[in-house]
Amino acid sequence: MTDSTVVYALAGIWIAMLGLRSLLVNRDHFKRIVAANLLGSGVFLTLVALAGRGEGAADPIPHGMILTGIVVAVSGTGLFLALLGRLRELESSEEEET
Amino acid sequence: MTPELLIDLILSISLLLLAMVTLRQRTPGDAVIQLMIFGLLLALSWLRVQAPDLSLTEAAIGPGVTGALLLASLRRIGFHRPFPPPASLPFRAAASLGCGIVGVVLSWILLQSWDRPQGLTELAYQHLPESGSKNPITAVILNYRGYDTLLEIGVLLVAALSVYTLAAPVRGKAVKPPGAIFRLYLRMMTPLFLLVVPYMVWIGGYAPGGAFQAGALLSGLGVLTLLGPRPWPIQLRRKLLRASLALGFILFLVVAVWTWRYGDFLTYPPAEASKWILVIESSCALSIGICLTVMFAGCAGWLSEEREGFR
């Protein structure tokens, strides 16, 4: 195996696993959002490395999928953050009332 | 050991270490900064695996937009508030073991299947002349798999609208007016952005670039403008703002239905393909940029109706 892109694919798998573990063990929502981003990045890295392996041009189909995935991931992050911000506000206004 | 392998090893090990460091930070602010550095390095590593299109997008969205969204929402969540302690030790050990086993199995599968022949590369390049784009990735996302991209723009629109409806002002936190250096920077960068964004859309038909890269860059300009003295993107007339949010999705849908008469949903005739792709790409770039800017404003608490012209 002379192809050195394999190291990125392996790194991607382990970054995804680190993100997954953190997603499971942490209770803080903000940290979970960060972990989910890392999980996604790891998956993307593995897919890009798989598309770019071997000689010749890279496979454009996984590239298209990842391009879509990056934008969907950032939409999800934005939505989670807005929900989390709203949650924190409701919590703090409840504290004020009691 | 060749120099290429050395670079690849250093980059991938740094990525792994940065991911670990990110997850070990004790406060949200530090974790976001580490995540942004990770994103930059990730973009760099994608250049090494023949993915310049993705590298451009990741550089703009990973450390750029995602970082901005996370930092903006820290205004409401608290920059230095430490994370609560994680789950109990047995649960952590079980989670580590589980993820370790999955990781080993996945790595084994990867190494076993590494030398298998590629998927659809040949087919994608074979039909490139009829796709209306000389850039295979643009051909994939707007012609071969246009349906995916249509739905994706829909997802982005729904997410932006949800952020819009959730928007509430952040109480008791005034924003400091921008300093002279930032104002100068904004004045210098705005024309540059306005030049590069249309160029990105246009070049997407030939070389790395396209609607996503252009949209991400546009949202960079949007975020900078929101931080500046005149945050016009959210001072736009509400109807105009909502219309530009939805423009990409609506035009994409109209093109999809319009091209139905040639046979199938989203199948362009080869002679007209490049025209339709350019129409979709320019409107989607605008909508992606505005959607991401609105998300940033929403996360920072600057979107609510009562704080129109928030400063």
Side-chain angles (χ1 to χ4, degrees):
Chain A
M1 203 170 299
T2 51
D3 196 357
S4 63
T5 41
V6 71
V7 296
Y8 292 113
L10 288 174
I13 288 178
W14 289 101
I15 290 165
M17 288 304 123
L18 279 173
L20 183 62
R21 179 191 169 273
S22 184
L23 201 59
L24 288 173
V25 304
N26 279 295
R27 288 185 217 143
D28 185 75
H29 295 305
F30 190 83
K31 191 151 193 185
R32 280 181 170 166
I33 295 173
V34 171
N37 264 298
L38 276 176
L39 171 56
S41 300
V43 173
F44 296 152
L45 182 58
T46 306
L47 260 176
V48 182
L50 276 170
R53 70 189 150 162
E55 302 296 314
D59 191 349
I61 284 121
H63 283 185
M65 277 167 63
I66 295 159
L67 212 51
T68 311
I70 292 174
V71 176
V72 171
V74 76
S75 325
T77 306
L79 179 58
F80 294 150
L81 286 171
L83 285 170
L84 179 58
R86 191 82 189 106
L87 184 68
R88 286 285 153 84
E89 269 160 22
L90 292 176
E91 279 169 0
S92 63
S93 66
E94 258 174 33
E95 276 166 25
E96 275 170 27
E97 277 166 24
T98 50
Chain B
M1 189 185 272
T2 59
E4 283 89 2
L5 182 61
L6 193 65
I7 292 172
D8 291 339
L9 273 176
I10 291 172
L11 253 179
S12 48
I13 290 170
S14 328
L15 278 172
L16 258 177
L17 287 177
L18 266 173
M20 271 184 224
V21 170
T22 306
L23 295 173
R24 289 197 78 86
Q25 298 300 321
R26 288 172 202 284
T27 61
D30 295 339
V32 174
I33 304 289
Q34 294 295 338
L35 187 71
M36 287 165 80
I37 300 172
F38 173 84
L40 268 181
L41 223 62
L42 190 67
L44 193 62
S45 75
W46 287 358
L47 282 178
R48 289 283 308 133
V49 285
Q50 304 184 52
D53 282 88
L54 296 180
S55 185
L56 272 172
T57 316
E58 174 62 26
I61 288 191
V65 181
T66 308
L69 287 176
L70 289 164
L71 285 177
S73 60
L74 286 183
R75 271 189 86 219
R76 299 157 110 181
I77 295 164
F79 207 84
H80 297 297
R81 191 190 49 85
F83 288 126
S88 62
L89 188 64
F91 185 77
R92 284 205 308 254
S96 306
L97 186 69
C99 292
I101 291 172
V102 175
V104 168
V105 171
L106 283 178
S107 309
W108 182 75
I109 293 172
L110 185 92
L111 292 174
Q112 289 300 308
S113 60
W114 189 257
D115 294 323
R116 299 264 172 87
Q118 298 252 352
L120 299 165
T121 317
E122 261 180 53
L123 208 60
Y125 275 89
Q126 206 182 331
H127 291 279
L128 201 54
E130 331 162 17
S131 72
S133 166
K134 292 192 177 68
N135 177 2
I137 295 167
T138 306
V140 169
I141 59 176
L142 287 168
N143 199 331
Y144 307 152
R145 304 290 313 155
Y147 197 58
D148 295 354
T149 312
L150 174 65
L151 293 182
E152 175 211 344
I153 300 292
V155 167
L156 185 62
L157 176 63
V158 170
L161 287 180
S162 314
V163 174
Y164 199 99
T165 34
L166 284 168
V170 179
R171 273 170 297 168
K173 279 189 185 171
V175 184
K176 265 196 268 176
I181 294 178
F182 181 82
R183 287 206 301 272
L184 179 69
Y185 177 71
L186 186 63
R187 266 210 295 276
M188 280 165 57
M189 290 310 278
T190 307
L192 200 63
F193 269 104
L194 292 178
L195 199 67
V196 173
V197 169
Y199 172 75
M200 269 293 175
V201 174
W202 177 253
I203 201 70
Y206 306 91
F212 295 104
Q213 290 83 345
L217 273 177
L218 192 62
S219 68
L221 176 62
V223 168
L224 277 181
T225 318
L226 286 182
L227 295 171
R230 271 185 291 277
W232 54 264
I234 53 167
Q235 287 175 339
L236 285 176
R237 297 273 298 280
R238 294 282 144 172
K239 275 181 188 159
L240 192 64
L241 185 62
R242 285 179 200 148
S244 51
L245 277 178
L247 179 76
F249 185 67
I250 291 171
L251 256 179
F252 207 150
L253 208 59
V254 167
V255 171
V257 173
W258 180 253
T259 50
W260 211 331
R261 66 204 169 98
Y262 299 118
D264 239 335
F265 195 66
L266 270 177
T267 313
Y268 333 107
E272 289 179 21
S274 63
K275 189 179 75 186
W276 291 122
I277 287 178
L278 196 62
V279 168
I280 295 172
E281 280 212 294
S282 356
S283 57
C284 283
L286 181 71
S287 282
I288 292 170
I290 301 281
C291 279
L292 294 175
T293 308
V294 161
M295 277 189 190
F296 173 77
C299 285
W302 291 340
L303 250 190
S304 64
E305 303 282 344
E306 58 198 280
R307 285 189 70 174
E308 204 147 354
F310 62 96
R311 206 164 282 144

